[in-house]
Amino acid sequence: MKNIRNFCIIAHIDHGKSTLADRLLDATGTVTSREKQAQLLDSMDLERERGITIKSHAIQMEYTFEGENYILNLIDTPGHVDFSYEVSRSIAACEGALLIVDAAQSIQAQTISNLYLALENDLEIIPVLNKVDLPSANVEEVTDDIVDLLGCSPDEVIPASAKTGIGIEEILHAIIARVPPPKGNADQPLQALIFDSVYNPFRGVETYFRVLNGEIRKGQHIKFMATGKSYFADEVGTLKLKQAPKDVIKTGDVGYLITGIKEAKEVKVGDTITDSKTPTTNMIEGFEDVKPMVFAGIYPVDTEDYEELRNSMEKLQLNDASLVFQPESSAALGFGFRCGFLGMLHLEIIQERLEREFDMTVITTVPNVSYQAYTHKNPDTVILVNNPSDLPEPSSLNRVEEPYIKATIITKSDFVGNVMSLCIEKRGEITNQTYLTTERVELSFDMPLAEIVFDFYDRLKTVSKGYASFDYSPIGMRASHLVKVDVLLNGNIVDALSALLHKDNAYDIGKKMCEKLRQLIPRQQFDIPIQAAIGAKIISRETVKALRKDVTAKCYGGDISRKRKLLEKQKKGKKRMRQVGNVEIPQEAFMAVLKLND
């Protein structure tokens, strides 16, 4: 056990984690030259195209140092804020972390939040200054930033370049010298932490775990503590590039487990595996169910594809356990699903995977967050509102609470004013302002999650010319004065366009929505009124004017009364049309609400 090292790589998105992992695999000879490719651990097409890590990846390397053989278990983690729960469980499975900072971009918000996660778990931090070969690299300045952040000495910061291979041997030596070996007792009952799971269509769910105490054997009768279900360990092994089956995985090691589970819901990340005959009494701390932050409706374009969409979503859920969905129906869009996502990037990825992997074209409604409503009748009973149509009648409402977040933004000092005015416009309250250096400022805000769901991130990048990084964590529910704004087309409420908004913003957003829809809805043979309403009160109206056929074209010359007679006749026909007219809404109209500031 003294020769095992478990470590993860943490960094802000795009600071070179996956490329550094490639170099470590090369240096330890884990990958043959035939298997080599850039970002080897990012196996999904989407990950490779966008250059982001979506899932954690674990791999075992063997390395000889000063005549001794060491086993290094590396966990490559996602860098995006949406996947921070996955990062937190990966960190809990390690004793050390490589903290990677881009020498050109310096420290970003996600770097700091992942660092705090690692420090809470008492991990040994090895700072690595990546991309030192770039012409724009500020090696001395960024090294000073890291020293200020960690309180370490400048000699401990390893300069490296994952692209050219500078500093890779030093990183491997530092992992062996500085990361402590795993602690644990081989004689105690089995206690293992699940830090990830992957779905294999042929073998069911493969569970990735780290043994804290005891050992796990092939054929052993095991139990998952959070779900309380028991299984046989059909196969256990270690994670090389391909799986390597073993008879036993001992204390401190990382491995995979196949039990033939077909339901992804039965394997929860953060759960504890134990022996079912002699179970351990204490669960590993920190387990929680993944909480979706953003909700949106996903509907098939053709109602007949509903069952096919359900099958696609279920298959997708096997690979992505943080996707939550339940059936719902909408008067405007027919049958579909109400889905819960970790954030807007997660929503985008799910939508894209549905289209690529399952050939499903879907309509996505406006994303919103989950609210809690309380009525006068039962002021203590919580009513969960995931959809604006679930909100009780305004007369019976006591209060509505919405989720708040603590937002951390790191930006250049030139853009502080712009960032502050954006956050205040989004109902944020500033709680802290710290100058990390003379050039860089860390701002902390308490803001409603609903305000950052739409276009906040894009606008933050715009006002800061791309120099702001953003990270957030939930801080609970707070009471707010919210109203439901409905959109009426031709006098009918379109439930897919309804939104819960703060009372102060309702009028402006209602007005903008009507103006935007007027541009997008195609003209018909009759006038279409577009209205925004709070309850029975109309707050804004726009009209899509009717197209009209030129019925007087055949009257050339002659008396005006002949023309008037034809126009009157057309008018009567138009009146009759308005009563039965239905409006077609293009897909852009549903998403236009997100881009009201464009």
Side-chain angles (χ1 to χ4, degrees):
M1 202 162 83
K2 69 180 197 314
N3 287 5
I4 295 177
R5 299 287 183 272
N6 298 321
F7 68 99
C8 58
I9 302 185
I10 53 176
H12 189 77
I13 193 164
D14 209 21
H15 278 207
K17 294 185 301 302
S18 301
T19 313
L20 187 80
D22 291 352
R23 290 296 83 76
L24 293 174
L25 295 176
D26 289 350
T28 53
T30 310
V31 185
T32 62
S33 54
R34 209 176 90 190
E35 293 166 327
K36 265 187 207 172
Q37 64 183 102
Q39 281 89 32
L40 184 74
L41 294 180
D42 291 349
S43 48
M44 211 186 296
D45 287 349
L46 257 173
E47 290 182 314
R48 305 187 69 78
E49 269 171 39
R50 290 179 170 227
I52 55 175
T53 306
I54 295 169
K55 277 197 79 60
S56 295
H57 296 272
I59 193 161
Q60 191 175 78
M61 304 178 280
E62 285 164 11
Y63 186 65
T64 309
F65 179 61
E66 294 179 355
E68 283 205 51
N69 291 331
Y70 289 89
I71 289 176
L72 310 178
N73 288 311
L74 153 71
I75 301 172
D76 180 22
T77 60
H80 198 277
V81 59
D82 281 7
F83 308 107
S84 55
Y85 176 67
E86 203 163 304
V87 177
S88 77
R89 297 298 13 107
S90 302
I91 285 173
C94 298
E95 279 83 31
L98 293 181
L99 178 76
I100 296 184
V101 178
D102 186 329
Q105 294 182 46
S106 191
I107 292 162
Q108 310 263 304
Q110 193 65 24
T111 319
I112 291 181
S113 86
N114 283 343
L115 170 68
Y116 287 157
L117 273 178
L119 290 173
E120 276 169 26
N121 286 285
D122 294 333
L123 262 62
E124 178 63 40
I125 308 289
I126 301 174
V128 176
L129 186 63
N130 195 14
K131 305 190 186 181
V132 291
D133 59 318
L134 288 180
S136 58
N138 280 331
V139 178
E140 288 85 3
E141 196 180 308
V142 181
T143 305
D144 292 345
D145 290 352
I146 297 173
V147 169
D148 290 347
L149 180 69
L150 289 175
C152 60
S153 74
D155 314 337
E156 289 176 35
V157 181
I158 303 171
S161 162
K163 200 172 181 183
T164 57
I166 302 168
I168 300 301
E169 290 294 322
E170 288 85 342
I171 292 173
L172 285 165
H173 297 171
I175 290 165
I176 289 165
R178 283 150 66 176
V179 175
K183 297 182 186 69
N185 189 336
D187 304 326
Q188 281 191 359
L190 168 66
Q191 186 190 29
L193 167 77
I194 298 176
F195 64 84
D196 198 9
S197 68
V198 187
Y199 182 71
N200 178 332
F202 305 107
R203 313 194 65 182
V205 178
E206 298 170 357
T207 311
Y208 295 171
F209 63 87
R210 146 84 197 269
V211 184
L212 297 183
N213 292 311
E215 59 182 31
I216 183 165
R217 292 185 167 276
K218 184 179 176 177
Q220 187 176 349
H221 202 215
I222 51 157
K223 179 179 167 191
F224 289 3
M225 290 182 81
T227 56
K229 297 196 173 181
S230 299
Y231 308 95
F232 278 102
D234 297 339
E235 186 181 303
V236 294
T238 50
L239 293 148
K240 296 285 177 35
L241 194 59
K242 296 189 171 61
Q243 293 166 342
K246 295 267 175 78
D247 287 333
V248 60
I249 302 282
K250 297 193 168 161
T251 314
D253 212 348
V254 171
Y256 72 92
L257 160 76
I258 295 176
T259 53
I261 300 172
K262 290 283 182 282
E263 287 280 323
K265 296 185 196 76
E266 292 177 28
V267 180
K268 293 187 183 297
V269 172
D271 194 358
T272 308
I273 307 175
T274 186
D275 186 72
S276 59
K277 294 191 185 79
T278 54
T280 177
T281 45
N282 49 340
M283 240 175 118
I284 298 164
E285 288 175 8
F287 168 71
E288 52 185 80
D289 278 323
V290 180
K291 294 184 191 69
M293 288 287 190
V294 173
F295 292 84
I298 287 187
Y299 294 86
V301 172
D302 207 336
T303 325
E304 291 154 16
D305 298 339
Y306 172 71
E307 279 305 320
E308 207 176 314
L309 180 61
R310 179 199 290 275
N311 294 339
S312 308
M313 300 278 275
E314 280 169 357
K315 283 178 188 159
L316 200 55
Q317 196 176 32
L318 294 169
N319 265 328
D320 187 344
S322 43
L323 168 68
V324 185
F325 66 91
Q326 61 193 57
E328 73 163 3
S329 64
S330 144
L333 300 170
F335 289 105
F337 296 97
R338 183 105 204 127
C339 307
F341 305 96
L342 299 174
M344 287 300 281
L345 177 78
H346 191 207
L347 163 77
E348 245 177 83
I349 282 166
I350 294 291
Q351 194 177 341
E352 200 152 325
R353 284 182 71 183
L354 277 173
E355 289 190 4
R356 280 193 187 190
E357 294 170 27
F358 303 101
D359 236 2
M360 293 295 308
T361 319
V362 291
I363 290 176
T364 316
T365 63
V366 181
N368 60 13
V369 299
S370 184
Y371 300 94
Q372 292 182 356
Y374 298 86
T375 54
H376 289 302
K377 208 173 186 180
N378 308 320
D380 300 329
T381 314
V382 179
I383 301 168
L384 264 183
V385 181
N386 288 338
N387 196 345
S389 56
D390 302 341
L391 192 73
E393 278 298 307
S395 54
S396 63
L397 262 185
N398 180 353
R399 67 184 189 283
V400 181
E401 291 183 352
E402 63 176 333
Y404 263 69
I405 54 155
K406 180 182 174 17
T408 309
I409 296 168
I410 295 179
T411 185
K412 281 189 159 183
S413 47
D414 313 357
F415 305 118
V416 171
N418 299 356
V419 172
M420 274 191 182
S421 53
L422 171 67
C423 292
I424 290 162
E425 179 197 325
K426 296 281 187 186
R427 297 194 282 138
E429 297 161 17
I430 188 157
T431 54
N432 198 0
Q433 179 178 356
T434 321
Y435 275 81
L436 302 171
T437 66
T438 50
E439 280 290 299
R440 302 161 59 82
V441 191
E442 181 182 359
L443 300 166
S444 297
F445 289 92
D446 287 356
M447 325 177 51
L449 178 64
E451 296 288 344
I452 66 153
V453 162
F454 294 157
D455 56 351
F456 177 77
Y457 195 58
D458 296 344
R459 287 188 60 201
L460 178 67
K461 287 287 185 208
T462 311
V463 298
S464 64
K465 299 188 180 161
Y467 280 108
S469 59
F470 170 68
D471 180 64
Y472 66 87
S473 55
I475 52 171
M477 310 293 282
R478 296 189 188 176
S480 278
H481 196 158
L482 298 167
V483 291
K484 181 180 162 199
V485 176
D486 288 315
V487 173
L488 287 81
L489 280 185
N490 210 19
N492 303 321
I493 291 180
V494 182
D495 53 359
L497 290 171
S498 297
L500 277 177
L501 304 168
H502 193 265
K503 195 173 180 208
D504 299 348
N505 303 344
Y507 175 73
D508 289 339
I509 292 180
K511 195 168 185 302
K512 280 182 183 164
M513 271 161 100
C514 290
E515 285 168 3
K516 199 86 180 178
L517 287 170
R518 193 192 70 192
Q519 297 161 16
L520 290 167
I521 288 175
R523 290 168 72 186
Q524 312 275 352
Q525 293 280 341
F526 51 91
D527 283 4
I528 306 168
I530 303 169
Q531 295 160 310
I534 298 175
K537 184 184 174 192
I538 304 287
I539 55 171
S540 173
R541 170 181 169 134
E542 294 283 334
T543 309
V544 177
K545 282 298 186 195
L547 282 168
R548 49 182 288 186
K549 189 176 160 196
D550 191 359
V551 286
T552 60
K554 56 180 184 275
C555 295
Y556 44 91
D559 188 19
I560 186 73
S561 58
R562 285 178 65 203
K563 287 186 181 176
R564 194 161 290 144
K565 187 174 159 191
L566 284 169
L567 290 169
E568 288 297 327
K569 192 175 172 189
Q570 184 188 33
K571 207 170 173 185
K572 276 183 189 161
K574 281 260 189 280
K575 243 183 198 162
R576 191 154 61 248
M577 279 183 85
R578 183 178 307 149
Q579 291 159 4
V580 292
N582 273 336
V583 186
E584 294 233 321
I585 311 172
Q587 157 75 34
E588 298 85 69
F590 293 107
M591 298 317 281
V593 190
L594 304 186
K595 303 187 177 76
L596 288 177
N597 291 302
D598 292 3

